Amino acid sequence: MRLTFLLCSCIAVRASWIDEQTPTAARTDPTTGYTLVFSDEFDDARRSFTDGHDTKWTAEDRPGVTNAALHYYNSSTITTADGKLAIASKREWAKWTEYDAQGNPYHFERPYQSGLVSTWNKFCFTGGVIELSMQLPGSPNRGGLWPAFWMLGNLARPGYLTSTEGMWPWSYDTCGTSKEAVQAAAGQAASACQGGRGRGSPEIDIIEAQPGDYVLRYSNVPHVDGTRRDVQLGRPQISSSLQVAPGIADSLRAISPAMPQDGNWYPDLFPFGGDAYGGLNATENPRMINNYWYGQLIQEDPPLWQDGLSVTWQHSERYYQQQTIIRTEWEPGQYIRWYNGEGELMYEITQEMLNARPGAADAVPQIPYEAMYLILNTDISPRWGWNGCDPQSPCSLANPGFCSADSQLTCTDCGNPGCLLCPEATTWLADLCRELDATNPVAFQIDYVRIYQNPSKGHSVTCDPPGLETREYIDANWEKYTFNPFVNEAPLSMVQRGGGVCLANSDCQGSQQTEGTCKNGSCVCPAGWTGPQCLSPCAGDYAGPCTAPSDASLVGTVSPAPSMLSGDDSTTTTTPSSETNAPIDDDSFAVPTGSGWVAVVILLVVWGL
């Protein structure tokens, strides 16, 4: 009995969301006194984040689908080494196959590969302090990359657009009677007028970094003190944002890129000097309203908007040269505060600021109250940090289709000489191509992620907080959260326990566990640990049974997941069976169970030209 108790106690500690390598001094937040509830120090090399390999994070294997993305998310671009997580971005062609309901294949390709990793439906939390130590990728003076650290409500999955319909970025728990409120309730997939809580997936963007050497200059900008001033803000810069719905009514809102005027935006989010940005005396580390993003239309008829409450702030070039700590405080229903790498408050949004917006008082969104999860990624998109071009220049006129009427490059493959014909517009693109060299690509490097909470404030760690559960809805609507849903039958796989290729016991061990063994060329995991190389603690719902060593009788029967690197010929495609197209019974879905030793048939193809 005593032995059993000791074993269970050990597993309980290991099964927590806290990385054992987090220093003791970092277990309490020195500013708030909050307690550490989640950490990942990324100290173990060789971690894999492919679906089914890690209990905390899942890396995507699919194309980017928003913001005119030019990249394919490849889980192999996300690695750990030297105590850091690295998200590499590179110019390397990717091809992939998607299927329709009849099993017909459609083939696609893109010139760039990058990575996105998230804790979706694995680790969620409500409220607290979020701290990230990071080094941005590439050069501070060259645009082209879009590194980001952000959060979404668990009811939507990034890039899975059907999961966002009527969910993103709703944060509205009111059943009002005004025209605006009635229209909002009709557009919200699960509104408070339906007899329950108003549900959705709001978004908190902690950082979206935009390198480059461009300087934004504005004349005669209204200041909060009533004066008008000439202002400028140079790159590199970071935007930090709250994305919520419902937005300000169509007839009342500011239109980008014009600066908002009195009465058509949130009063405290004045273009320059407002309380949200630190007030009158915020002269160091310049920041101002992000007038290029006030949100977007999420419903055409009647028109419904979401609001992007966004600030742009200039930052030091050292963010690209060394690890920098970024901090955000989120108090559900009350406020969000963003701090820069120098520890200065850059931006604050309170519920009172939201309440003061123009329009009906019963159509105001709330500071997020939904359980949210973490996302790290680097995108490559012409809509972010790419230098423009002059469509009337002699070179552009001599090369039709090179530059669009709205001054955007239309030829975007930096390795294609035809895209570099006009040096005055594309010298930076050629330089970017050297950074994206597949043999030595730039990388977004993360030293650690930590979250602190105070349970007495109602903070929680779960994807299913009471009254705001998410798992039942996701299970009943699983196809909305799945890439290639006509051939893939679950959004996430149970984590494979052991079976990774090894030559020695050390290949199955890490900084936190030294008991994994290598038998017949495959890893066998000790109690409390999982993953192909036994590097993932048994935490959360996707770990599977972990109270005993992994089944030694199956050693050598499980192959490692095929590499998703371009040029790998080991992947295969499968035509969907007739069962794939059967009607979905909302009550019949269940997360797969078992030891996690089931071999995964790869249905997504990535290979090189």
Side-chain angles (χ1 to χ4, degrees):
M1 183 68 68
R2 169 181 281 182
L3 178 61
T4 301
F5 173 78
L6 290 174
L7 177 62
C8 292
S9 297
C10 178
I11 292 171
V13 172
R14 287 180 171 175
S16 78
W17 292 109
I18 298 173
D19 191 321
E20 293 179 7
Q21 297 301 109
T22 303
T24 302
R27 301 292 177 108
T28 301
D29 176 49
T31 302
T32 62
Y34 292 1
T35 301
L36 185 73
V37 295
F38 174 94
S39 61
D40 203 328
E41 307 294 325
F42 305 111
D43 280 349
D44 287 327
R46 301 175 290 104
R47 280 176 67 181
S48 169
F49 302 97
T50 299
D51 180 29
H53 285 191
D54 194 84
T55 55
K56 291 180 178 179
W57 305 89
T58 304
E60 298 287 346
D61 280 295
R62 61 166 179 81
V65 296
T66 58
N67 299 309
L70 300 174
H71 56 277
Y72 179 91
Y73 290 128
N74 187 327
S75 63
S76 71
T77 65
I78 303 177
T79 57
T80 53
D82 302 321
K84 297 176 181 64
L85 175 84
I87 302 175
S89 300
K90 57 187 178 180
R91 181 185 176 267
E92 187 168 341
W93 280 91
K95 288 185 177 182
W96 72 96
T97 302
E98 298 180 30
Y99 299 87
D100 63 17
Q102 289 71 46
N104 298 313
Y106 296 85
H107 305 292
F108 304 89
E109 62 183 17
R110 285 187 183 167
Y112 303 105
Q113 296 187 36
S114 195
L116 181 150
V117 64
S118 81
T119 65
W120 176 74
N121 214 31
K122 289 183 174 179
F123 170 80
C124 310
F125 69 106
T126 306
V129 174
I130 304 98
E131 189 172 279
L132 169 79
S133 179
M134 55 112 199
Q135 181 177 338
L136 294 172
S139 166
N141 301 314
R142 185 177 303 111
L145 297 178
W146 191 341
F149 178 46
W150 50 302
M151 307 191 304
L152 271 181
N154 198 50
L155 286 173
R157 190 176 183 186
Y160 295 77
L161 299 185
T162 55
S163 76
T164 68
E165 294 171 357
M167 289 292 180
W168 179 85
W170 287 90
S171 188
Y172 182 57
D173 195 24
T174 303
C175 182
T177 57
S178 69
K179 179 180 178 181
E180 290 178 46
V182 170
Q183 290 181 347
Q188 188 177 14
S191 79
C193 295
Q194 297 171 2
R197 298 289 304 272
R199 305 302 306 277
S201 177
E203 177 178 334
I204 299 174
D205 300 317
I206 296 176
I207 63 146
E208 294 181 88
Q210 184 173 132
D213 58 2
Y214 188 74
V215 177
L216 298 170
R217 292 183 173 87
Y218 301 95
S219 300
N220 203 33
V221 176
H223 193 275
V224 71
D225 64 3
T227 65
R228 288 181 173 269
R229 308 181 184 183
D230 294 343
V231 298
Q232 67 179 42
L233 191 72
R235 295 178 188 166
Q237 56 190 229
I238 283 175
S239 69
S240 300
S241 314
L242 170 64
Q243 315 278 358
V244 287
I248 295 173
D250 188 66
S251 59
L252 299 175
R253 61 186 300 108
I255 303 299
S256 177
M259 290 291 182
Q261 305 299 315
D262 289 341
N264 70 353
W265 198 241
Y266 296 79
D268 293 295
L269 275 69
F270 224 80
F272 189 81
D275 286 346
Y277 315 132
L280 290 170
N281 298 318
T283 55
E284 296 184 2
N285 296 307
R287 64 271 203 184
M288 61 180 288
I289 192 169
N290 182 359
N291 58 303
Y292 283 89
W293 181 251
Y294 298 140
Q296 68 185 49
L297 201 64
I298 55 176
Q299 178 180 291
E300 294 286 345
D301 188 22
L304 268 179
W305 288 79
Q306 62 89 198
D307 283 345
L309 290 77
S310 184
V311 65
T312 301
W313 48 278
Q314 199 166 350
H315 62 280
S316 167
E317 292 187 3
R318 72 174 179 84
Y319 288 31
Y320 295 81
Q321 299 160 354
Q322 64 189 57
Q323 287 289 313
T324 302
I325 296 173
I326 300 293
R327 172 189 176 92
T328 298
E329 299 174 0
W330 165 37
E331 194 60 51
Q334 297 184 40
Y335 62 80
I336 305 170
R337 297 170 181 156
W338 290 261
Y339 295 82
N340 67 3
E342 289 69 45
E344 181 183 5
L345 177 65
M346 298 303 293
Y347 189 33
E348 177 181 27
I349 296 178
T350 67
Q351 187 60 50
E352 290 73 23
M353 291 177 181
L354 299 185
N355 294 343
R357 77 174 200 176
D362 59 355
V364 173
Q366 280 91 48
I367 295 292
Y369 51 86
E370 293 275 2
M372 304 186 81
Y373 62 97
L374 307 170
I375 307 165
L376 285 158
N377 66 287
T378 302
D379 280 8
I380 304 171
S381 166
R383 294 185 180 176
W384 187 264
W386 285 53
N387 291 3
C389 53
D390 179 5
Q392 298 304 314
S393 73
C395 186
S396 294
L397 293 174
N399 296 278
F402 171 80
C403 184
S404 69
D406 59 351
S407 301
Q408 298 297 312
L409 291 174
T410 55
C411 191
T412 55
D413 176 9
C414 69
N416 179 354
C419 296
L420 306 174
L421 291 173
C422 301
E424 73 277 8
T426 59
T427 297
W428 70 274
L429 187 60
D431 291 341
L432 176 66
C433 215
R434 284 187 281 273
E435 288 187 346
L436 300 180
D437 183 351
T439 62
N440 186 30
V442 296
F444 186 15
Q445 297 188 57
I446 312 302
D447 187 30
Y448 66 76
V449 178
R450 298 171 186 162
I451 296 174
Y452 302 86
Q453 289 187 331
N454 182 350
S456 68
K457 289 181 174 287
H459 301 166
S460 64
V461 173
T462 177
C463 295
D464 277 331
L468 292 167
E469 294 84 0
T470 65
R471 293 278 175 74
E472 182 178 357
Y473 177 86
I474 291 170
D475 289 354
N477 296 274
W478 64 269
E479 71 282 357
K480 294 182 178 181
Y481 302 88
T482 305
F483 181 64
N484 263 347
F486 299 112
V487 291
N488 294 324
E489 297 185 354
L492 295 176
S493 302
M494 293 295 288
V495 174
Q496 174 184 317
R497 190 149 188 252
V501 173
C502 59
L503 297 175
N505 289 346
S506 59
D507 294 331
C508 311
Q509 300 173 356
S511 59
Q512 299 181 60
Q513 74 83 6
T514 58
E515 301 167 1
T517 57
C518 180
K519 294 185 178 180
N520 300 329
S522 293
C523 288
V524 176
C525 301
W529 293 89
T530 187
Q533 310 299 138
C534 310
L535 296 176
S536 191
C538 290
D541 294 338
Y542 290 88
C546 286
T547 56
S550 52
D551 191 347
S553 66
L554 295 178
V555 168
T557 66
V558 178
S559 299
S563 168
M564 299 303 288
L565 285 169
S566 287
D568 182 6
D569 295 324
S570 65
T571 54
T572 60
T573 57
T574 301
T575 302
S577 66
S578 59
E579 292 181 2
T580 305
N581 300 319
I584 304 300
D585 181 353
D586 288 353
D587 296 325
S588 66
F589 181 90
V591 175
T593 59
S595 65
W597 287 89
V598 179
V600 179
V601 178
I602 301 299
L603 300 167
L604 182 64
V605 183
V606 181
W607 67 94
L609 286 180

